[in-house]
Amino acid sequence: MAVLEIVSHPTITIAPDGTLKRAMSLMTRHRVRHLPVIANGDLVGIVSIGDVVKHRLEDLETESNVLRDAYAR
């Protein structure tokens, strides 16, 4: 079986300058766990749900630390 026979059409992609929010939105809306990153028609990377979650958790941890520091003063 060829990959073409099982790949979803159209393939959901994101540009290298796409935002994390856009990636999360696309993954949620289309129920995909990986987004090919396409630049000038070429595959330049793949963003996984794990990448998104890791980055989001780092953001939340930073925000929590800032709020905790502000509250402690």
Side-chain angles (χ1 to χ4, degrees), residues 11-27 34-40 42-48 52:
T11 302
I12 308 305
T13 64
I14 194 164
D17 60 349
T19 65
L20 179 62
K21 186 175 181 176
R22 173 84 174 136
M24 289 188 306
S25 175
L26 287 169
M27 289 177 163
H34 297 86
L35 285 177
V37 181
I38 305 293
N40 301 319
D42 294 325
L43 177 67
V44 296
I46 298 175
V47 177
S48 74
V52 173

Side-chain angles (χ1 to χ4, degrees), residues 43-72:
L43 177 67
V44 296
I46 298 175
V47 177
S48 74
I49 192 72
D51 298 329
V52 173
V53 168
K54 179 182 175 191
H55 192 277
R56 186 66 181 125
L57 285 174
E58 288 169 358
D59 285 348
L60 290 172
E61 183 177 341
T62 300
E63 183 179 320
S64 174
N65 289 339
V66 168
L67 291 172
R68 186 179 18 234
D69 290 347
Y71 181 74

